[in-house]
Amino acid sequence: MEIGKVNQLIEKLLVYGEVNDLLGDWDRVAARNQIRDILGIKESPEPALTEDDFEVPAEPQVLLDPLLDFAVEKGLIEDRITERDLLDTRIMGAMTPRQSEIGRRFYETAEREGIRRATNEYYHFAKASNYIRQARIARDLNWKAESEYGQIEITINLSKPEKDPDEIARAKEEPQSNYPKCYLCLENVGYPGTFSHPARQNHRVVPLKLQNEDWFLQYSPYVYYNEHCIVFHKEHIPMQIDKNTFAVLLDFIDQLPHYFIGSNADLPLVGGSILNHDHYQGGRHIFPMEEAEAEEFYQHPTFPEVEISRVKWPMSVIRLKAEVREDIINLAAKILENWRQYSDPDLDILAFSQVDGKQKAHNTITPIARKKDGVYELDLVLRNNRKSEEYPAGIFHPHADLHHIKKENIGLIEVMGRAILPGRLKTELNWISSYLSGDLELEELEAKEGLEKHLDWIAELKEEYGINLSEEEAEQVVEVEVANKFSRVLEDAGVYKNNSIGYKGFERFLESVGIEPSEL
């Protein structure tokens, strides 16, 4: 690539940075010099450009990709996704404001124009800086389908790039380090990255005070829903669901009432992927569970102002509503304390078991908080992580007949009705659609790698729908049936099933807390 074209791309990138408030007055010279140094350019730069000289792109990757190609030609990096990611993040880091500047902007905007405007600007920054890689997020497949519980949301995750074997091998060869200790630690801000840990030179966070402790707000780089944010503790401490958890959640929605916030459970199997750093997830999205209706109403004599209900949902959800936050916190803590100790052997619910002479806890809660018209709303989803000989993956976990669609942990996002499914399904589901529309013969389908796990399901689909559907009909059938599978995934994860036996068991637990059917 001609050096003049490379220099022109740098000038365009600088204009992009100015247009998107990454660079302020007089920042262009320093950013230009840093990017030229990163790319090893000694020749004189091209004349400066303005936004009137070209069409400024909506995201920077279209300008970064040719710069990365130049770096490959020059031998600065090899043409592999991890090396390209490390370098383009370093380039964007040269245009990213300091951490203190981002925090200052956020709170100045919140005071001047309100908290919604502040989060809007911060979300724009996360995308403009390429921390959220919009070009990759756009690859994800998303759809909704009706179920007996309302709409179910499906996401096939295609935004996480897959590393090739050479990159995996190089990651293993790198010196091992515990810095940062995990992907959530504050030390990720500005981190240069390695083959095993993503670069974060363009990562900035917003400080929060929750229950008089230091927490930080950031957006997820994978954005599984609108304004998908993460709130993490300053210290690298394990996740723990307790009374303070509920207070922290309500503190957050007091400060950002247009967001919801929730926590993964704090036990393996029913928790999230990062249990060693206390954190929550939130954002600006209405999940199917939020819209689910109450099936039964209850009351507690000590908390007469709290509306208590059982939600019509495949998992076991207790919904609390009140105007006084202390009532919500205290009743939620009482429910959690009882659930931690509660067993119902007839329904396979045991609070503890003995493993190697030690007591192992099994019961916990996935909590989700919202604020609507001044009323606090807290959903408590009962979880249990026991395994058995019949269900070695987990009694309240997707069972084996569903693993061809979903076998990973059912975390906070899935609990609320949005499936995060593996990228392999894009190709596999396309093949199945082609079979249902008659474009693929069964023999061809059976020969496809990875399809063997779907064969029983495919036979069921053929029996119900035939194999002469139009392409559009076949795609719709597959989308609806995947959503049905996910509804069953959630049913498997529910500790109390939606039948008479389950309802009676649910009410036995509520009675143990002092919660009784409402007289209204």
Side-chain angles (χ1 to χ4, degrees):
M1 186 184 298
E2 295 181 0
I3 196 66
K5 184 176 181 181
V6 176
N7 276 323
Q8 189 176 59
L9 283 166
I10 293 173
E11 295 307 312
K12 289 181 176 180
L13 191 61
L14 294 172
V15 173
Y16 169 89
E18 290 176 336
V19 168
N20 286 281
D21 293 324
L22 299 178
L23 300 176
D25 294 339
W26 312 113
D27 286 337
R28 186 187 288 213
V29 171
R32 176 190 294 121
N33 286 335
Q34 282 185 262
I35 296 171
R36 285 166 53 83
D37 182 56
I38 290 168
L39 295 173
I41 297 173
K42 305 298 181 184
E43 293 83 357
S44 297
E46 293 289 301
L49 299 174
T50 71
E51 59 183 296
D52 296 326
D53 294 325
F54 70 104
E55 185 176 348
V56 181
E59 49 89 22
Q61 203 62 50
V62 293
L63 301 175
L64 292 168
D65 282 341
L67 291 177
L68 297 175
D69 293 339
F70 167 75
V72 172
E73 290 176 16
K74 196 172 181 180
L76 297 176
I77 60 171
E78 293 187 39
D79 193 13
R80 293 187 174 125
I81 192 163
T82 300
E83 292 195 56
R84 293 176 73 96
D85 283 1
L86 289 170
L87 187 60
D88 70 9
T89 305
R90 187 179 172 196
I91 291 170
M92 291 305 299
M95 301 200 305
T96 302
R98 287 178 177 270
Q99 170 62 52
S100 58
E101 171 69 9
I102 295 301
R104 182 187 63 77
R105 285 186 194 178
F106 183 89
Y107 284 106
E108 284 183 355
T109 299
E111 183 174 354
R112 186 177 63 250
E113 301 181 59
I115 192 65
R116 290 189 184 216
R117 179 66 179 175
T119 54
N120 287 346
E121 288 185 358
Y122 180 46
Y123 191 50
H124 173 78
F125 159 76
K127 293 185 289 186
S129 66
N130 217 34
Y131 178 73
I132 295 174
R133 294 175 178 266
Q134 298 177 78
R136 288 186 185 165
I137 301 301
R139 301 174 192 169
D140 289 348
L141 300 181
N142 298 278
W143 70 85
K144 297 179 181 180
E146 292 295 330
S147 76
E148 63 177 292
Y149 305 102
Q151 281 196 331
I152 293 292
E153 300 176 350
I154 305 293
T155 293
I156 293 183
N157 176 25
L158 302 171
S159 56
K160 287 187 179 180
E162 294 187 15
K163 296 184 179 182
D164 65 34
D166 287 341
E167 290 177 322
I168 295 171
R170 287 188 65 174
K172 289 182 178 179
E173 292 171 1
E174 283 186 327
Q176 297 300 304
S177 170
N178 66 345
Y179 180 88
K181 293 178 181 177
C182 76
Y183 292 150
L184 294 179
C185 285
L186 180 61
E187 288 75 18
N188 282 280
V189 173
Y191 184 67
T194 67
F195 273 86
S196 57
H197 194 112
R200 291 291 184 252
Q201 288 101 326
N202 56 351
H203 177 42
R204 302 292 184 266
V205 298
V206 171
L208 300 171
K209 278 288 185 185
L210 303 174
Q211 287 297 290
N212 296 314
E213 292 188 313
D214 290 322
W215 294 75
F216 295 90
L217 171 70
Q218 68 170 76
Y219 288 106
S220 166
Y222 302 111
V223 193
Y224 290 135
Y225 52 85
N226 185 45
E227 296 180 44
H228 177 185
C229 70
I230 298 171
V231 178
F232 65 95
H233 199 282
K234 179 183 178 182
E235 305 299 332
H236 182 75
I237 56 176
M239 291 188 66
Q240 176 66 41
I241 305 296
D242 54 22
K243 183 177 181 179
N244 186 66
T245 299
F246 307 131
V248 168
L249 295 179
L250 298 195
D251 272 4
F252 179 85
I253 58 174
D254 276 340
Q255 295 180 40
L256 288 85
H258 60 302
Y259 275 10
F260 83 90
I261 187 170
S263 175
N264 274 308
D266 54 353
L267 293 178
L269 187 65
V270 296
S273 57
I274 302 178
L275 294 177
N276 60 355
H277 196 131
D278 203 5
H279 71 284
Y280 307 106
Q281 294 182 79
R284 201 171 179 180
H285 182 75
I286 296 175
F287 284 87
M289 191 177 80
E290 180 178 344
E291 297 186 304
E293 298 178 353
E295 280 192 309
E296 295 289 341
F297 289 91
Y298 302 87
Q299 59 189 5
H300 192 291
T302 309
F303 305 96
E305 301 303 317
V306 179
E307 179 184 292
I308 308 167
S309 62
R310 186 186 76 225
V311 178
K312 184 181 179 182
W313 193 243
M315 299 185 71
S316 305
V317 185
I318 303 168
R319 179 165 292 166
L320 309 180
K321 293 184 181 182
E323 295 183 7
V324 179
R325 54 176 283 154
E326 286 73 18
D327 286 349
I328 286 258
I329 292 169
N330 289 331
L331 179 53
K334 186 174 181 64
I335 292 170
L336 173 63
E337 181 182 358
N338 275 57
W339 179 244
R340 291 279 193 196
Q341 308 294 323
Y342 188 81
S343 293
D344 190 336
D346 290 341
L347 298 182
D348 286 324
I349 299 169
L350 296 181
F352 302 100
S353 62
Q354 293 294 317
V355 179
D356 298 327
K358 296 181 180 179
Q359 184 169 264
K360 182 177 181 180
H362 294 301
N363 287 351
T364 186
I365 278 176
T366 299
I368 303 103
R370 315 172 195 94
K371 196 172 186 181
K372 299 178 179 179
D373 299 323
V375 176
Y376 296 98
E377 185 172 289
L378 183 64
D379 286 349
L380 304 176
V381 187
L382 305 179
R383 310 298 302 274
N384 179 286
N385 75 344
R386 280 189 66 223
K387 298 179 180 181
S388 67
E389 290 186 11
E390 183 179 3
Y391 299 113
I395 299 171
F396 305 105
H397 182 79
H399 294 164
D401 64 320
L402 299 172
H403 288 181
H404 66 109
I405 297 294
K406 176 74 173 178
K407 65 178 180 180
E408 297 81 10
N409 288 5
I410 304 305
L412 173 68
I413 298 172
E414 284 93 354
V415 163
M416 294 186 291
R418 187 176 187 88
I420 309 298
L421 301 180
R424 62 174 172 81
L425 284 175
K426 177 186 178 181
T427 301
E428 295 168 5
L429 296 179
N430 283 339
W431 285 334
I432 295 170
S433 294
S434 295
Y435 172 65
L436 294 177
S437 64
D439 291 337
L440 269 183
E441 297 292 333
L442 182 60
E443 293 77 13
E444 296 176 283
L445 195 68
E446 291 175 337
K448 299 291 188 184
E449 184 178 354
L451 259 289
E452 62 280 352
K453 59 183 171 294
H454 295 298
L455 291 179
D456 289 344
W457 183 47
I458 292 168
E460 294 172 7
L461 295 177
K462 177 187 176 183
E463 182 175 348
E464 183 165 354
Y465 298 102
I467 53 173
N468 293 307
L469 302 176
S470 68
E471 288 186 11
E472 184 178 353
E473 288 172 336
E475 289 175 1
Q476 289 177 346
V477 162
V478 169
E479 288 184 356
V480 168
E481 292 299 334
V482 168
N484 287 338
K485 285 278 185 178
F486 184 64
S487 291
R488 286 187 51 212
V489 162
L490 295 182
E491 288 173 346
D492 283 354
V495 293
Y496 294 111
K497 307 309 179 187
N498 286 326
N499 54 39
S500 60
I501 295 174
Y503 295 149
K504 289 177 182 177
F506 204 150
E507 296 206 341
R508 283 197 298 273
F509 168 66
L510 294 177
E511 288 171 6
S512 76
V513 188
I515 296 174
E516 301 172 347
S518 174
E519 297 176 358
L520 297 179

